[in-house]
Amino acid sequence: VQLQASGGGLVQTGNSLTLSCAASGGTFRRYVMGWFRQAPGKEREFVAAVAGNGVNKDSADSVKGRFTIVRDNSKNTVYLQMSSLKPEDTAIYYCAASWRIHSNVVLTSAGSYSYWGQGTLVTVSS
């Protein structure tokens, strides 16, 4: 499966932004989808993930209540809706996919994902 992330940009603290990740080349509903981010000088970290069924989800404590992951299986797209953005959210955001036969699986480890998008930069100014 190929992944194309988009939607990054420069925003001010407190504003909102929605990232999109379009998938092609696979049966989208069979893939667990995740978002990860990597800030300058830091390791890549988990942000949020959603199972193939679109119901089971998980997110990092640092973004709970502010970020929401949503998938639209009819459009082969997963979204990361980000609100109340903070300067510490500044990073390159990557979407990732992992094939799973069970539609209720959620994965939070980067090593569990086989496919990665190219990343989109989010910069939050103070």
Side-chain angles (χ1 to χ4, degrees):
V1 66
Q2 293 78 47
L3 304 174
Q4 181 70 43
S6 61
L10 173 63
V11 296
Q12 292 186 330
T13 297
N15 282 6
S16 300
L17 196 64
T18 296
L19 305 182
S20 301
C21 176
S24 60
T27 304
F28 186 66
R29 68 180 184 277
R30 288 297 186 192
Y31 288 85
V32 181
M33 300 300 298
W35 285 97
F36 292 78
R37 66 186 181 186
Q38 187 167 17
K42 295 188 177 181
E43 294 187 352
R44 189 171 299 190
E45 65 174 358
F46 169 74
V47 177
V50 58
N53 62 12
V55 175
N56 299 84
K57 303 178 182 181
D58 198 2
S59 60
D61 289 342
S62 59
V63 305
K64 273 186 168 61
R66 300 189 299 122
F67 291 11
T68 301
I69 187 168
V70 176
R71 67 188 294 158
D72 186 339
N73 286 347
S74 69
K75 296 182 178 179
N76 289 359
T77 302
V78 63
Y79 305 94
L80 185 66
Q81 301 169 338
M82 305 183 294
S83 63
S84 302
L85 283 161
K86 306 174 181 180
E88 50 264 43
D89 294 318
T90 294
I92 299 175
Y93 284 72
Y94 299 90
C95 61
S98 181
W99 190 91
R100 286 293 185 274
I101 194 168
H102 297 293
S103 63
N104 61 346
V105 172
V106 179
L107 303 170
T108 62
S109 171
S112 299
Y113 289 85
S114 302
Y115 305 95
W116 292 83
Q118 85 287 4
T120 185
L121 177 62
V122 173
T123 303
V124 184
S125 63
S126 57

